[in-house]
Amino acid sequence: MPKSLSAPGIFEKVDIERWLSRLPVKRASDGEVIGWTVAHESNTRDEYDEGYLVDAVNPVGVTVARGVPIERAIEHLEDRGLASLSAPHWTKAPLPLEPETDLSAPHDDWPWRRVLMTQLDDNRVWIRPAYPSWPERLLEIPLQIPADEILRADSPDNSD
């Protein structure tokens, strides 16, 4: 059974073993981190065994490829790691979104909303609504990295 850590208001459950397994993937030309590999949830093998599978995640923690050999994960990140940051993502958020909104603890009545990433540093990513209402037009909200518990790359059925 994997070790986990719970923290109220942050993430419901973080798989510590999976988190500790992450390794940075850097672009060869300049050394910029283009993503991470993390142990795939189905692994029962040691990371040095042949056939060990990983997930490729972009710099904010959103999965780009699931359950692939490490060499394939690196290829996915070289091809789509940084590019995936410019694609719209979705999060549960109220309308209107306000600066103090805690997106890590969504309410059941919040709709899925399309958001765009505007800035990124080593610890945070800033997002804004893709289709802002008038009060949201200048709003940017920082999220701690990894933000994979808050952001999703694929559109839910009931999104804008």
Side-chain angles (χ1 to χ4, degrees):
M1 180 170 203
K3 297 177 199 170
S4 64
L5 175 68
S6 292
I10 299 176
F11 301 122
E12 288 305 311
K13 196 175 199 180
V14 174
D15 183 343
I16 298 301
E17 296 301 322
R18 181 171 156 82
W19 178 250
L20 292 175
S21 75
R22 76 186 173 120
L23 295 171
V25 176
K26 296 181 179 184
R27 186 169 42 207
S29 62
D30 62 2
E32 181 177 2
V33 173
I34 57 174
W36 304 88
T37 62
V38 294
H40 184 62
E41 58 200 23
S42 68
N43 274 332
T44 57
R45 304 172 182 209
D46 186 273
E47 65 222 51
Y48 301 107
D49 290 343
E50 189 175 321
Y52 183 75
L53 301 177
V54 298
D55 293 341
V57 299
N58 68 16
V60 299
V62 176
T63 303
V64 175
R66 262 186 224 294
V68 295
I70 195 159
E71 298 81 14
R72 190 87 173 107
I74 292 169
E75 290 172 12
H76 280 290
L77 290 170
E78 289 173 343
D79 291 343
R80 299 190 329 248
L82 294 178
S84 67
L85 299 175
S86 65
H89 284 71
W90 282 260
T91 190
K92 289 200 87 163
L95 183 63
L97 189 56
E98 297 180 355
E100 64 278 352
T101 305
D102 180 6
L103 296 175
S104 67
H107 297 192
D108 291 336
D109 61 340
W110 289 357
W112 283 100
R113 299 199 50 204
R114 190 181 312 213
V115 296
L116 302 172
M117 295 180 209
T118 59
Q119 297 180 60
L120 176 66
D121 69 19
D122 293 339
N123 301 307
R124 291 174 300 216
V125 60
W126 284 261
I127 62 167
R128 69 169 182 84
Y131 304 112
S133 65
W134 183 255
E136 300 172 319
R137 68 192 184 287
L138 301 176
L139 178 69
E140 289 185 347
I141 294 186
L143 304 175
Q144 289 297 113
I145 294 177
D148 60 324
E149 296 288 328
I150 298 170
L151 300 173
R152 65 185 281 178
D154 17 328
S155 171
D157 291 336
N158 59 345
S159 66
D160 62 358

